[in-house]
Amino acid sequence: MVFRDNLEADVPPDEKRREQLRAARDRRRELSTGLIEQFPEPALVVDDERRLVRFKPAAEDAYGRSQADALGTPGYEFPSVSKLEATMVELDD
């Protein structure tokens, strides 16, 4: 899942519209975070640079790496583990 926080250049100069877009982004983030928390499978969340920003405990078990060790590393360092299916969701802001 990708949260696009660095799109300020694409946001219109109108302050009211900027606030509407930020509120919509925040609602999507809250919803997706809640879904990730309830998802029982290993879940990795990457940012726009494809660096890990969320690494669930089930992922620690599946990949044999701690959350502290994994956060900030490139997502490509975590290829599919046999018998696990990878799912990627990208949110468009």
Side-chain angles (χ1 to χ4, degrees):
M1 185 165 303
V2 179
F3 293 118
R4 299 181 184 277
D5 287 330
N6 62 352
L7 293 180
E8 291 298 321
D10 295 337
V11 175
D14 179 287
E15 182 63 30
K16 182 177 179 180
R17 181 66 180 139
R18 273 199 307 260
E19 287 304 316
Q20 291 171 339
L21 291 172
R22 286 183 186 129
R25 178 200 60 201
D26 292 345
R27 280 191 303 274
R28 284 191 300 273
R29 180 176 291 144
E30 288 172 19
L31 176 62
S32 62
T33 299
L35 291 171
I36 290 167
E37 291 301 319
Q38 293 180 18
F39 191 65
E41 300 297 323
L44 311 174
V45 179
V46 297
D47 62 13
D48 280 344
E49 287 78 38
R50 304 293 191 241
R51 300 228 175 250
L52 290 176
V53 294
R54 183 78 173 95
F55 196 75
K56 289 189 58 162
E60 290 181 317
D61 295 338
Y63 291 101
R65 287 179 71 176
S66 70
Q67 183 179 52
D69 178 51
L71 292 178
T73 61
Y76 64 78
E77 290 185 11
F78 299 87
S80 285
V81 174
S82 61
K83 300 181 184 175
L84 292 178
E85 293 182 25
T87 302
M88 177 182 275
V89 177
E90 186 167 329
L91 297 178
D92 293 325
D93 284 332

